[in-house]
Amino acid sequence: MATHTSTARLALTRRPRRLRRTEAIRSLVRETRLTPDCFILPLFVCEGRGVRREVSSMPGVFQLSVDEAVKEAAAAKADGVPGVLLFGLPDSKDATGSKASDPDAPVQSAVRAMKREIRDLIVITDVCLCEYTSHGHCGILEGEEILNDVTVAHVADAALSHAVAGADFVAPSDMMDGRVAAIRTLLDERGLDRTGIMSYAAKYCSAFYGPFRDAADSAPQFGDRRSHQMDPANVEEALREVETDIEEGADIIMVKPALHYLDVISRVKRQFNQPTAAYHVSGEYAMLKLAVAKGWIDERRGMLETLTAIKRAGADIIITYYARDAARALHEKPRA
Ligand code: PBG
């Protein structure tokens, strides 16, 4: 006969549930606070005017011409997102990705327009050749090999053109050796010492960039990126990469992707205690979007839990396609 009624009492000194009783108490003892001021929204900027083309594998993400990208950045700023990360989609590509440093290409034009029209917006530019090369590789090829030092010279030129346009930070994502030092030296020679460097320091060779390559039309035409992006199995190597980039002059270091590399974010933040960014990449976004579309996961909760986890791991800055949605969700009253 069950006689365990409301009179049952355990003699406990610790009752963790006391701190979970109401939303006010939960909020009082919350360890990680997700706020929109750590979000950066990536934008894909293409040629033309009035272009707003949705990326099929990334619902809610668009290829935008400069005028539309400026509108999107302004709307993001109004939502409370402090900055954007720009990717360029040129009309024409060649073997050396020469459009990467063209002052009139989409990224450089968008930087000028955004800095002119949107007050206090932080404008960061992705620096890599893969969106600009006809073969889709991140560098200059000799046969099927990516030449490191020649590529670095091109990457530094691209970064310089972004800095001249007025970017607050340039973000090299190519993973060539020595690019941070080369960029810092070139910028300083040109008097651009105020332009910062956010380096993709620990960028893994990940399957989760798939939808991005759709968006940027940058899938390599042969081979893969294993000769420069990191092996997903390594973490000590990530620490060496980060240390190298800090020594070379990186102001902010990044771990990418985010969700499958929370341990890496955590170790990088603890070991170096530098401003640390994490990139919640296209595939991570697409997986959640797809499950949401199927009705399997609640979008608001899934999104905020994901971003909270990235912050809890140690990221100060989160680059995410969800930046605007999350900023708006965080402005709503919490549900009790
Ligand atoms: C360019 C670059 C990539 C991403 C950011 N910068 C693609 C790649 O390395 O293939 C991926 C971003 C994402 O998946 O959201 N090198």
Side-chain angles (χ1 to χ4, degrees), residues 42 44 58 85 87 126-131 136 138 173-174 200 203-204 206 208-213 216 218-220 225 228-229 256 279-283 321:
F44 298 101
M58 300 174 73
L85 173 62
F87 293 91
D126 182 271
V127 182
C128 191
L129 300 184
C130 66
E131 299 121 64
C138 304
S173 66
D174 53 291
Y200 288 70
K203 176 175 178 178
Y204 287 87
S206 171
F208 295 92
Y209 306 150
F212 171 95
R213 293 181 189 168
S218 63
R225 306 216 198 285
H228 52 293
Q229 298 182 348
K256 174 188 174 193
Y279 198 142
H280 178 234
V281 301
S282 57
Y321 303 96

Side-chain angles (χ1 to χ4, degrees), residues 268-312:
V268 164
K269 184 63 194 177
R270 270 170 198 243
Q271 183 148 338
F272 298 102
N273 210 14
Q274 297 282 323
T276 304
Y279 198 142
H280 178 234
V281 301
S282 57
E284 302 178 286
Y285 173 82
M287 283 197 300
L288 188 48
K289 276 285 181 191
L290 201 53
V292 166
K294 289 271 191 187
W296 293 340
I297 291 178
D298 177 80
E299 184 159 38
R300 185 181 190 280
R301 291 185 56 203
M303 165 181 79
L304 294 179
E305 184 175 335
T306 295
L307 300 176
T308 299
I310 296 169
K311 184 132 193 221
R312 190 194 63 230

Side-chain angles (χ1 to χ4, degrees), residues 107-264:
V107 165
Q108 291 83 346
S109 308
V111 170
R112 285 192 299 271
M114 286 175 186
K115 291 310 288 183
R116 189 173 59 231
E117 292 176 34
I118 310 167
R119 214 169 155 256
D120 287 338
L121 179 75
I122 302 166
V123 179
I124 309 170
T125 57
D126 182 271
V127 182
C128 191
L129 300 184
C130 66
E131 299 121 64
Y132 299 91
T133 51
S134 42
H135 43 71
H137 279 288
C138 304
I140 310 300
L141 299 178
E142 188 174 77
E144 299 208 344
E145 193 189 331
I146 302 173
L147 297 175
N148 191 85
D149 299 12
V150 184
T151 298
V152 166
H154 285 262
V155 164
D157 282 343
L160 175 65
S161 72
H162 297 173
V164 167
D168 295 293
F169 291 89
V170 292
S173 66
D174 53 291
M175 288 297 278
M176 294 299 123
D177 297 332
R179 78 269 166 81
V180 173
I183 292 171
R184 188 69 271 160
T185 305
L186 186 58
L187 297 187
D188 289 353
E189 273 170 19
R190 304 299 172 97
L192 292 159
D193 50 281
R194 291 187 355 170
T195 312
I197 300 177
M198 172 193 270
S199 80
Y200 288 70
K203 176 175 178 178
Y204 287 87
C205 189
S206 171
F208 295 92
Y209 306 150
F212 171 95
R213 293 181 189 168
D214 241 16
D217 183 26
S218 63
Q221 309 227 304
F222 61 87
D224 52 39
R225 306 216 198 285
R226 280 179 232 206
S227 81
H228 52 293
Q229 298 182 348
M230 279 186 52
D231 182 339
N234 296 354
V235 62
E236 304 301 337
E237 185 187 7
L239 302 177
R240 293 196 296 274
E241 280 280 7
V242 168
E243 182 177 42
T244 305
D245 282 11
I246 292 169
E247 282 170 0
E248 289 186 21
D251 302 283
I252 300 172
I253 35 112
M254 192 199 300
V255 174
K256 174 188 174 193
L259 277 187
H260 300 85
Y261 299 87
L262 294 177
D263 59 323
V264 182

